Amino acid sequence: MFNRLKSAFSSLVKAIGDAVTQRELTEDDVNKLLGEFEERLIEYDVAFDTAEALINELKAKLIGVKVPRFSNDDYIKVLVRDALMNLLSNIPDVDFDEFIKGVKKRPIILLFLGPNGYGKTTTIAKLTNMLLKRGMSVVWAAADTYRAGAVEQLEGHAAKLGVRVIKHPYGSDPASVAYDAIEHAKARGISVVMIDTAGRMHTDRNLMEELRKVYRVSSPDASIFIVDALMGNDAVDVARTYSKYIPIDFVVVTKVDAYVKGGVILTLLYELKKPIIFLGTGQGYNDLAKFNKLDFINKLLE
């Protein structure tokens, strides 16, 4: 996981260690080191603006710094870690369990967004599995009334987990499905409503207006955007477009187990300024890892 991005940071730390003596690192020294590093960042899916911002943070930390020639790499890693923390300082970490505990109203309403194929339905199933284990009840709203097979896909997971799907015929108003699911939950004392939405091309203006209406009708406690890590920076562009129409509260990144570059995680955090709450690490219902910004940074510098 993130192997290539980790290798880029490892190479940077080693290069700094090889370059320094008891004298200060000059601006020329730092520019040379970071020029090569920036190329690797971009190669590993770190978007150009994110890479530039990190390079500027690193320059501020490294120019004029004295590093003892025979010190271990720990001192250099601290400088790089501080630069990463500064870059991501305005992005909060959110613990999903604590968030759920903090919502006192019932039902809690979660709206799921993202293109088809990104892992939205599977993520809904994984989070449902997690909440069921905590003794909460869940109902799903099949608000993708556009794509043939979308409801059946949802029902397949629902049958395995023992949750009900509220659905309308294909072509129905998705907002009405969300509304009915919420009313169903209120009437039966169900804890959580999870709303699955259509995921056509993000350039489809009709889809965006449709999602806007679902958001307005459902008034979700959180909108969760699903990102396919394998899509690289294209996924970041899609998320940016969605966020112009519907507020995004949290991000879940799927297929991380098959993604070795790692850079899209850094880009998502910096570009969207939204917390990543989970990483999808497989197809099983338990294959969901909590995400923590500091843990991610520490892993890059292992």
Side-chain angles (χ1 to χ4, degrees):
M1 200 183 295
F2 319 133
N3 288 343
R4 292 183 185 171
L5 191 60
K6 286 169 67 173
S7 73
F9 278 94
S10 176
S11 295
L12 175 66
V13 170
K14 184 178 185 305
I16 294 169
D18 290 344
V20 299
T21 62
Q22 290 287 351
R23 66 179 178 80
E24 294 180 352
L25 284 172
T26 67
E27 187 168 353
D28 285 345
D29 293 331
V30 172
N31 285 338
K32 182 179 178 182
L33 291 167
L34 295 183
E36 297 170 4
F37 178 61
E38 184 173 17
E39 288 177 11
R40 295 191 70 179
L41 290 178
I42 293 169
E43 182 183 350
Y44 299 152
D45 284 347
V46 177
F48 179 79
D49 288 349
T50 305
E52 281 284 288
L54 177 56
I55 293 302
N56 289 334
E57 290 287 349
L58 286 165
K59 282 181 181 178
K61 291 290 180 187
L62 294 173
I63 292 173
V65 165
K66 289 183 179 179
V67 182
R69 185 170 192 170
F70 299 107
S71 69
N72 57 34
D73 290 340
D74 289 346
Y75 182 81
I76 299 167
K77 285 182 178 179
V78 168
L79 296 177
V80 177
R81 184 181 289 109
D82 286 349
L84 280 164
M85 288 299 290
N86 284 350
L87 182 75
L88 305 177
S89 62
N90 59 346
I91 304 142
D93 272 320
V94 172
D95 183 287
F96 184 71
D97 287 335
E98 292 303 315
F99 165 75
I100 291 293
K101 289 175 186 175
V103 182
K104 301 307 179 186
K105 64 178 270 291
R106 292 293 183 270
I108 300 168
I109 302 166
L110 303 177
L111 179 66
F112 291 83
L113 305 165
N116 295 329
Y118 274 32
K120 191 163 66 248
T121 305
T122 306
T123 300
I124 289 171
K126 289 178 179 181
L127 288 174
T128 296
N129 180 55
M130 180 182 296
L131 294 176
L132 292 173
K133 287 180 176 179
R134 285 155 178 71
M136 302 183 80
S137 51
V138 181
V139 66
W140 293 352
D144 182 355
T145 60
Y146 178 84
R147 179 173 61 93
V151 175
E152 289 76 11
Q153 183 184 9
L154 207 60
E155 287 181 320
H157 287 292
K160 293 176 184 175
L161 292 166
V163 299
R164 182 169 179 182
V165 178
I166 304 301
K167 60 182 181 178
H168 288 189
Y170 282 108
S172 300
D173 179 4
S176 69
V177 184
Y179 177 84
D180 285 353
I182 293 165
E183 291 303 305
H184 174 88
K186 288 177 180 176
R188 290 162 178 77
I190 293 173
S191 309
V192 182
V193 177
M194 295 194 176
I195 304 170
D196 185 26
T197 59
R200 304 190 294 278
M201 287 297 292
H202 61 289
T203 52
D204 186 334
R205 181 66 181 266
N206 290 334
L207 167 66
M208 292 300 139
E209 293 302 334
E210 178 184 291
L211 292 176
R212 240 183 194 161
K213 184 179 178 183
V214 173
Y215 181 87
R216 188 172 66 251
V217 168
S218 63
S219 298
D221 296 289
S223 295
I224 303 173
F225 190 82
I226 310 303
V227 171
D228 179 346
L230 299 177
M231 296 301 294
N233 285 313
D234 287 345
V236 182
D237 291 337
V238 173
R240 227 186 260 117
T241 301
Y242 269 74
S243 67
K244 292 176 183 175
Y245 293 86
I246 308 101
I248 293 173
D249 298 301
F250 308 141
V251 176
V252 175
V253 185
T254 64
K255 307 176 189 177
V256 173
D257 51 313
Y259 178 63
V260 295
K261 288 187 176 182
V264 73
I265 306 291
L266 191 59
T267 301
L268 280 165
L269 288 168
Y270 180 74
E271 296 285 342
L272 296 184
K273 303 291 191 290
K274 300 297 180 183
I276 295 172
I277 53 172
F278 289 107
L279 303 177
T281 58
Q283 291 301 305
Y285 291 152
N286 294 314
D287 294 334
L288 203 59
K290 282 188 177 182
F291 181 87
N292 176 280
K293 185 173 63 180
L294 182 58
D295 288 346
F296 171 65
I297 290 170
N298 286 339
K299 281 186 173 68
L300 292 181
L301 295 169
E302 283 177 349

